[in-house]
Amino acid sequence: MISVNGNQANSLIQVRGLDKTYRRGNEDIHVLQGLNLDVDQGDFVAFMGPSGSGKTTLLNLLGGLDLPTRGSVTVAGDEITHMSRRRLTQWRARHVGFIFQMYNLIPVLTALQNVELPLLLTRLSRAERRRHVETALAIVGLSDRMQHFPRQLSGGQEQRVAIARAIVADPTFLLCDEPTGDLDRKSADEVMDLLQRLVNEHRKTVLMVTHDPLVARIAKLTLHLEKGVLVEAGARQDAAAGAVS
Amino acid sequence: MLLKLLFGLGLALAAAAALLLLLLIVGGILAGLLAPFLGAVPVSYNFRSLRVRWASTLVAILGIAGTVGVFVAMLSLAHGFHATLVASGSPGNALVMRAGSTSEMMGGITLDSIRIVQDKPGVAHTPAGAPLVTQEVVGVIPIPLIRTGTDTNVQVRGVSANVLQIRKFVQLAQGRMFTPGLDEVVVGKNALQTYRGLALGDTLHFGGVRWKVVGIFNAGGSAFDSEIWCDARILSQVLQRPPDIFQSATVHLTSPAAFQRFKDAITSDPRLNLEVEREVDYYANQSSTMTRLITVLGGLVALIMAVGAVFGALNTMMAAISERGREIATLRALGFSSWNVVLSFLFESLLIAFIAGLLGCLAVLPLNGWTTSTMNMQSFSNVAFAFQITFGLLSLGVAFALVMGVLGGLLPAVRAARRPVALALREL
Ligand SMILES: Nc1ncnc2c1ncn2[C@@H]1O[C@H](COP(=O)(O)OP(=O)(O)O)[C@@H](O)[C@H]1O
Ligand SMILES: [Mg+2]
C-alpha cells in the first residue's frame, strides 16, 4: 500500500522526515521538508507537481544519487542515507533501475551493449549476460534492434531500450523521471503500456514522475509534491473542498 | 644553520614530490593499461568514443606522435654515433699512446719505444714472424663537402702497410692498397661519398704533394670509413712532424684475453712512458661527449615538445569528459564506481598515447640507416654515421608516449569521476 503518513511498518520503501535544502549563494532553498512515503512491492506510484517543486530531487534521494539534508530512506531494510559513497554505488547497481526523460543511452554503444551495461557489474558469464539482455529486449519488444545504435532508433524505441537496461539486472524498484516527457502520444502510450505490464506481470515496483495526467492515471496512485511534502490527489481535493466550505 | 635546515627540508620535499609523481605515472600507466581487466566499463566505449570525436583525438595524437618522433630520432642519432665509433675498435686490439694523452691527436711515441712494444708478450705475429703492429700518424686536412661545397676537416691517417691484418674488418672495396713509400692514398667509403674529389684515380693535393687515390676501403660503418689512409712515414714528412715519432700504435693481440698481460708488461717497463687501452674502450670514450650532447639536446627539445603534447592530450581529454558529462553520470547512476570511470578515461587517454607512440615511431623509421655526419669533438674531424633505430629505442618512444598520455589523462579522469552524479545528470 502507498501512504504519505509515515506510519506504515514493513513497507518496501520507507521515507521518513526527508529534508533537502540546496544552497544557492546566501540563500537556502528548502525543496523537501519532512517528506514521508511508504511504497510496497508491486506498487506503481506517480508523482506530480509544478516544475521546480522537487520531483527530480526526490527521485535522486530515493535512488541514492544524492544525500538528504535530514531524514532517512530505507529500502528492503537497508538505510541508504548512512551508506558510504562506495557502498551506495554498489547498492544502486543492485537495487535501482533508472529511466530518464532523455533516455540517457550511451550513443556509441549498440542497444545490446547499452542493455548489457548493468550486467557488467555482476558475476554473470558472457553467455548468461547475453541471455538476460535478449530477455529484457524481448520484454520491451525490440529483439530485432539489438545491433542498432541509439541514433538509429526512434525516441520511443530509445526509451524502451532504456527500460530494458533498467530491468535487465532485476532491480528492487524502478525510478522514472518523466519517462514520456520527450515522446509523442503514441510512443508515450507504448512506454506506459510497458511500465504497466512490468508492474502487473512481473511485479515490479515503479515510482514515476510525470507532468501528464493521462500518464499519471495509469499508476495506482498519484501523489502531488506540494511545499516540500507529498499529498494524495484525493486528500488535496478534500482539503480544497474544505477550504471552500 | 636555519637556512641549511630549510634547504634540506626543501630538498626532501622535492624528492618526495618527485617520487610521488613517479609513482603516480607508473601506477597510472599500469592501471590504465590493465583497465580492460580491472574495470567494468567496456573498452569498446573508449574505442568508439575516440572514433566519434576523431578530430579532437587526431590533434592529441599528432602532438604526442611528433614528440615521440623527435625523441626517437635524437636517440637513434646518438645511438648511431656511438655505434659507429665503438665499431671502430676491435676487442682484440690494444691502442698504445703516450701516457696522459686522452686522444691520438696528442700522442707522441718514438720508434724506439715501438720496437720495445713489439717484443712484449701478447702481441700477435704473422706466420713469417712479423709483429702485427701499426704505428700511426694522424692529421686533418680541409676538403670540400660534396653537398655544400664548403671545406670540412677530414682525418688523414698514416698507417703501416700491414694495417689490414690488424684491423681485419677493414676491406678494400675497389682498387688496391697503397704502396709503401709512394704518394698514394686509400679512401674510406663514407669519405668517398661525403667529400669532393676522392674517387678512384683522382688526385688529391695536400702538404705540397699530389696524392693518387688507388683504393676505396669499407670499414664496416666505423669511423675509419670517414678517413683517408696513407703511408705513415710519408705523412709524417709531409706534415713536417719530427721523424720517427708516431702518435699511436695499434697492436693486434694474440687474443682479447691477452690484453691485461700486454698492458702490465708495458706499464711495468721503466723504459716506457706509455698508456695502453683496449681499442674499443678508446673509441667508446671518444663517442661519449657527442653522444651526451645529442642526448641532452634531444632530450631538451623532446621535453619542451612533451609539455605541449601533454597539454594537447589534457585539452582533448577535458573536452571529452565535459562533452560526455551526462554519459559519465549515467554510468555512475547505473552503479559504475568512480574508480571504474577513472580507469576508463585513463585507458582512453593511454589509447591515444599508444596510437600516437606507434605513429611517431613509424614516422621516423625511414630514418633508420640514413647517413649524416658531424664533427668528432676529440679528433676535430668530420665523422659520417647513420641513424640507428633499435627495438629498444622504439619501446622507449612508446613508453614516453604513455607517460605523456597518463599526465594528460589523469586529471580529467579524476575530475570526471568526482563530479556529483545528481548535478551531472541535469546537464544537457
Ligand atoms: N544542485 C542544485 N543546487 C541548487 N539548487 C538546485 C539544485 N538542484 C535543484 N535545485 C533547485 O531545487 C528545486 C527543485 O528542483 P527539481 O528537483 O529539479 O524540481 P522538478 O524536478 O520538480 O522540476 C528547483 O528550484 C531547482 O532550481
Ligand atoms: Mg525534474
Side-chain angles (χ1 to χ4, degrees), chain A residues 205-218:
Chain A
T205 309
V206 177
L207 292 81
M208 172 182 70
V209 165
T210 184
H211 267 127
D212 184 344
L214 289 177
V215 164
R217 195 173 299 160
I218 293 166

PDB file of all heavy atoms in Angstrom, chain A residues 205-218:
ATOM      1  N   THR A 205       8.193  -2.790  -8.930  1.00  0.00           N
ATOM      2  CA  THR A 205       7.764  -1.615  -8.183  1.00  0.00           C
ATOM      3  C   THR A 205       8.229  -0.394  -8.971  1.00  0.00           C
ATOM      4  O   THR A 205       9.404  -0.295  -9.301  1.00  0.00           O
ATOM      5  CB  THR A 205       8.413  -1.612  -6.787  1.00  0.00           C
ATOM      6  OG1 THR A 205       8.173  -2.896  -6.185  1.00  0.00           O
ATOM      7  CG2 THR A 205       7.859  -0.508  -5.925  1.00  0.00           C
ATOM      8  N   VAL A 206       7.298   0.498  -9.276  1.00  0.00           N
ATOM      9  CA  VAL A 206       7.665   1.634 -10.131  1.00  0.00           C
ATOM     10  C   VAL A 206       7.286   2.948  -9.457  1.00  0.00           C
ATOM     11  O   VAL A 206       6.153   3.112  -8.996  1.00  0.00           O
ATOM     12  CB  VAL A 206       6.967   1.540 -11.512  1.00  0.00           C
ATOM     13  CG1 VAL A 206       7.304   2.760 -12.362  1.00  0.00           C
ATOM     14  CG2 VAL A 206       7.370   0.267 -12.233  1.00  0.00           C
ATOM     15  N   LEU A 207       8.240   3.877  -9.396  1.00  0.00           N
ATOM     16  CA  LEU A 207       7.979   5.233  -8.927  1.00  0.00           C
ATOM     17  C   LEU A 207       8.288   6.172 -10.079  1.00  0.00           C
ATOM     18  O   LEU A 207       9.400   6.148 -10.609  1.00  0.00           O
ATOM     19  CB  LEU A 207       8.854   5.581  -7.714  1.00  0.00           C
ATOM     20  CG  LEU A 207       8.549   4.814  -6.411  1.00  0.00           C
ATOM     21  CD1 LEU A 207       9.170   3.437  -6.403  1.00  0.00           C
ATOM     22  CD2 LEU A 207       9.016   5.617  -5.209  1.00  0.00           C
ATOM     23  N   MET A 208       7.288   6.969 -10.471  1.00  0.00           N
ATOM     24  CA  MET A 208       7.419   7.724 -11.710  1.00  0.00           C
ATOM     25  C   MET A 208       7.032   9.182 -11.504  1.00  0.00           C
ATOM     26  O   MET A 208       6.023   9.487 -10.852  1.00  0.00           O
ATOM     27  CB  MET A 208       6.496   7.083 -12.758  1.00  0.00           C
ATOM     28  CG  MET A 208       6.364   7.841 -14.047  1.00  0.00           C
ATOM     29  SD  MET A 208       5.199   7.013 -15.157  1.00  0.00           S
ATOM     30  CE  MET A 208       3.647   7.325 -14.313  1.00  0.00           C
ATOM     31  N   VAL A 209       7.817  10.073 -12.096  1.00  0.00           N
ATOM     32  CA  VAL A 209       7.468  11.492 -12.109  1.00  0.00           C
ATOM     33  C   VAL A 209       6.852  11.796 -13.463  1.00  0.00           C
ATOM     34  O   VAL A 209       7.360  11.325 -14.487  1.00  0.00           O
ATOM     35  CB  VAL A 209       8.731  12.356 -11.911  1.00  0.00           C
ATOM     36  CG1 VAL A 209       8.446  13.803 -12.284  1.00  0.00           C
ATOM     37  CG2 VAL A 209       9.219  12.263 -10.475  1.00  0.00           C
ATOM     38  N   THR A 210       5.759  12.537 -13.504  1.00  0.00           N
ATOM     39  CA  THR A 210       5.201  12.918 -14.801  1.00  0.00           C
ATOM     40  C   THR A 210       4.457  14.237 -14.708  1.00  0.00           C
ATOM     41  O   THR A 210       4.019  14.664 -13.639  1.00  0.00           O
ATOM     42  CB  THR A 210       4.268  11.828 -15.360  1.00  0.00           C
ATOM     43  OG1 THR A 210       3.840  12.224 -16.656  1.00  0.00           O
ATOM     44  CG2 THR A 210       3.052  11.633 -14.458  1.00  0.00           C
ATOM     45  N   HIS A 211       4.340  14.885 -15.829  1.00  0.00           N
ATOM     46  CA  HIS A 211       3.562  16.115 -15.935  1.00  0.00           C
ATOM     47  C   HIS A 211       2.195  15.834 -16.520  1.00  0.00           C
ATOM     48  O   HIS A 211       1.330  16.685 -16.522  1.00  0.00           O
ATOM     49  CB  HIS A 211       4.281  17.083 -16.896  1.00  0.00           C
ATOM     50  CG  HIS A 211       5.186  18.010 -16.193  1.00  0.00           C
ATOM     51  ND1 HIS A 211       6.503  18.162 -16.539  1.00  0.00           N
ATOM     52  CD2 HIS A 211       4.979  18.836 -15.141  1.00  0.00           C
ATOM     53  CE1 HIS A 211       7.071  19.025 -15.728  1.00  0.00           C
ATOM     54  NE2 HIS A 211       6.160  19.454 -14.869  1.00  0.00           N
ATOM     55  N   ASP A 212       2.063  14.633 -17.092  1.00  0.00           N
ATOM     56  CA  ASP A 212       0.935  14.320 -17.959  1.00  0.00           C
ATOM     57  C   ASP A 212      -0.136  13.559 -17.167  1.00  0.00           C
ATOM     58  O   ASP A 212       0.083  12.432 -16.737  1.00  0.00           O
ATOM     59  CB  ASP A 212       1.469  13.471 -19.124  1.00  0.00           C
ATOM     60  CG  ASP A 212       0.392  13.175 -20.146  1.00  0.00           C
ATOM     61  OD1 ASP A 212      -0.802  13.354 -19.833  1.00  0.00           O
ATOM     62  OD2 ASP A 212       0.762  12.746 -21.245  1.00  0.00           O
ATOM     63  N   PRO A 213      -1.316  14.149 -16.951  1.00  0.00           N
ATOM     64  CA  PRO A 213      -2.373  13.492 -16.161  1.00  0.00           C
ATOM     65  C   PRO A 213      -2.796  12.151 -16.767  1.00  0.00           C
ATOM     66  O   PRO A 213      -3.104  11.206 -16.046  1.00  0.00           O
ATOM     67  CB  PRO A 213      -3.539  14.485 -16.214  1.00  0.00           C
ATOM     68  CG  PRO A 213      -2.939  15.778 -16.630  1.00  0.00           C
ATOM     69  CD  PRO A 213      -1.736  15.478 -17.448  1.00  0.00           C
ATOM     70  N   LEU A 214      -2.771  12.061 -18.132  1.00  0.00           N
ATOM     71  CA  LEU A 214      -3.137  10.803 -18.775  1.00  0.00           C
ATOM     72  C   LEU A 214      -2.156   9.706 -18.404  1.00  0.00           C
ATOM     73  O   LEU A 214      -2.529   8.554 -18.215  1.00  0.00           O
ATOM     74  CB  LEU A 214      -3.151  10.971 -20.303  1.00  0.00           C
ATOM     75  CG  LEU A 214      -4.294  11.815 -20.871  1.00  0.00           C
ATOM     76  CD1 LEU A 214      -4.134  11.963 -22.376  1.00  0.00           C
ATOM     77  CD2 LEU A 214      -5.635  11.185 -20.517  1.00  0.00           C
ATOM     78  N   VAL A 215      -0.898  10.086 -18.324  1.00  0.00           N
ATOM     79  CA  VAL A 215       0.138   9.132 -17.949  1.00  0.00           C
ATOM     80  C   VAL A 215      -0.003   8.762 -16.478  1.00  0.00           C
ATOM     81  O   VAL A 215       0.052   7.596 -16.100  1.00  0.00           O
ATOM     82  CB  VAL A 215       1.535   9.728 -18.241  1.00  0.00           C
ATOM     83  CG1 VAL A 215       2.622   8.945 -17.528  1.00  0.00           C
ATOM     84  CG2 VAL A 215       1.789   9.768 -19.740  1.00  0.00           C
ATOM     85  N   ALA A 216      -0.241   9.769 -15.655  1.00  0.00           N
ATOM     86  CA  ALA A 216      -0.341   9.545 -14.213  1.00  0.00           C
ATOM     87  C   ALA A 216      -1.503   8.607 -13.881  1.00  0.00           C
ATOM     88  O   ALA A 216      -1.431   7.803 -12.956  1.00  0.00           O
ATOM     89  CB  ALA A 216      -0.513  10.872 -13.487  1.00  0.00           C
ATOM     90  N   ARG A 217      -2.557   8.694 -14.680  1.00  0.00           N
ATOM     91  CA  ARG A 217      -3.749   7.882 -14.420  1.00  0.00           C
ATOM     92  C   ARG A 217      -3.447   6.383 -14.442  1.00  0.00           C
ATOM     93  O   ARG A 217      -4.137   5.585 -13.824  1.00  0.00           O
ATOM     94  CB  ARG A 217      -4.810   8.225 -15.468  1.00  0.00           C
ATOM     95  CG  ARG A 217      -6.189   7.728 -15.115  1.00  0.00           C
ATOM     96  CD  ARG A 217      -7.211   8.240 -16.095  1.00  0.00           C
ATOM     97  NE  ARG A 217      -7.291   9.704 -16.098  1.00  0.00           N
ATOM     98  CZ  ARG A 217      -7.807  10.397 -17.118  1.00  0.00           C
ATOM     99  NH1 ARG A 217      -8.229   9.779 -18.197  1.00  0.00           N
ATOM    100  NH2 ARG A 217      -7.872  11.708 -17.051  1.00  0.00           N
ATOM    101  N   ILE A 218      -2.407   5.990 -15.200  1.00  0.00           N
ATOM    102  CA  ILE A 218      -2.069   4.572 -15.315  1.00  0.00           C
ATOM    103  C   ILE A 218      -1.488   4.033 -14.014  1.00  0.00           C
ATOM    104  O   ILE A 218      -1.620   2.862 -13.700  1.00  0.00           O
ATOM    105  CB  ILE A 218      -1.114   4.364 -16.519  1.00  0.00           C
ATOM    106  CG1 ILE A 218      -1.888   4.681 -17.801  1.00  0.00           C
ATOM    107  CG2 ILE A 218      -0.570   2.947 -16.552  1.00  0.00           C
ATOM    108  CD1 ILE A 218      -1.040   4.838 -19.013  1.00  0.00           C
TER     109      ILE A 218
END
